[in-house]
Amino acid sequence: ALGRRRYLRMLIVAVMAAGFAHTLWYFGNPVGLVGFSAAVFAILAGCLILIPNQTVYLYALLPVKMKWLVIAYLIFETASFASGARTGVSQLGHLTGALVGFAFVLGPRFINRRKGGGGGKGGGKRVKSKVITMGHPGRSAKASDLYDDPHWRLDQ
């Protein structure tokens, strides 16, 4: 739904922002940060917005809706960060990655909505949503419709 370049840009920005936030938070206290988990949380945040009702299997056994899984992860990471316990995992990095994911997925919608409204720099112009062709002749849809197409759904 984001496209290859925007998706790759989101992953790189998530990792860099998590490293930057981690460095600022623990400034003067040498705590290392290695990993790609911030990008994973950016992907999870994007999935929360784009496919909230998708069923995933937790540990290949328990079916859970994507929205409940991601919300549970975010609550757990927030509680772990707030407790201040040193676990060897950067909860701050995970939360920063999730914020980057939300920004990349929701950012264009928010900006287009603001431009399309009356007043401001947009001048009241209506901004059309980007159309994605889905491989069907004569068929096109918005990015939000991508996951409603039975050819693209994983649970069928």
Side-chain angles (χ1 to χ4, degrees):
L2 294 177
R4 288 182 184 180
R5 283 187 175 172
R6 188 166 174 81
Y7 178 73
L8 183 61
R9 197 176 313 136
M10 179 185 74
L11 298 181
I12 292 169
V13 169
V15 170
M16 291 177 65
F20 185 68
H22 186 86
T23 302
L24 284 179
W25 187 264
Y26 295 106
F27 189 75
N29 187 3
V31 177
L33 177 68
V34 177
F36 197 69
S37 58
V40 173
F41 270 81
I43 294 168
L44 286 173
C47 290
L48 177 64
I49 301 302
L50 294 173
I51 53 171
N53 292 318
Q54 179 70 42
T55 301
V56 294
Y57 288 89
L58 186 61
Y59 301 113
L61 297 174
L62 182 66
V64 180
K65 297 272 186 194
M66 179 66 75
K67 61 185 170 188
W68 302 123
L69 179 68
V70 176
I71 289 170
Y73 274 139
L74 292 175
I75 289 172
F76 176 75
E77 292 296 324
T78 304
S80 296
F81 178 67
S83 72
R86 294 286 178 116
T87 60
V89 175
S90 176
Q91 283 84 17
L92 178 63
H94 293 169
L95 295 173
T96 305
L99 286 175
V100 169
F102 284 130
F104 265 79
V105 174
L106 291 177
R109 292 180 185 183
F110 178 73
I111 291 168
N112 287 342
R113 189 172 297 138
R114 297 239 345 172
K115 284 182 181 177
K121 287 186 178 180
K125 295 178 187 174
R126 202 71 183 144
V127 179
K128 284 189 166 183
S129 61
K130 185 175 179 182
V131 175
I132 297 174
T133 59
M134 296 176 27
H136 303 289
R139 162 103 191 214
S140 62
K142 291 185 283 185
S144 60
D145 295 336
L146 178 66
Y147 298 98
D148 294 331
D149 186 359
H151 294 34
W152 286 80
R153 296 204 33 200
L154 300 175
D155 61 344
Q156 292 188 354

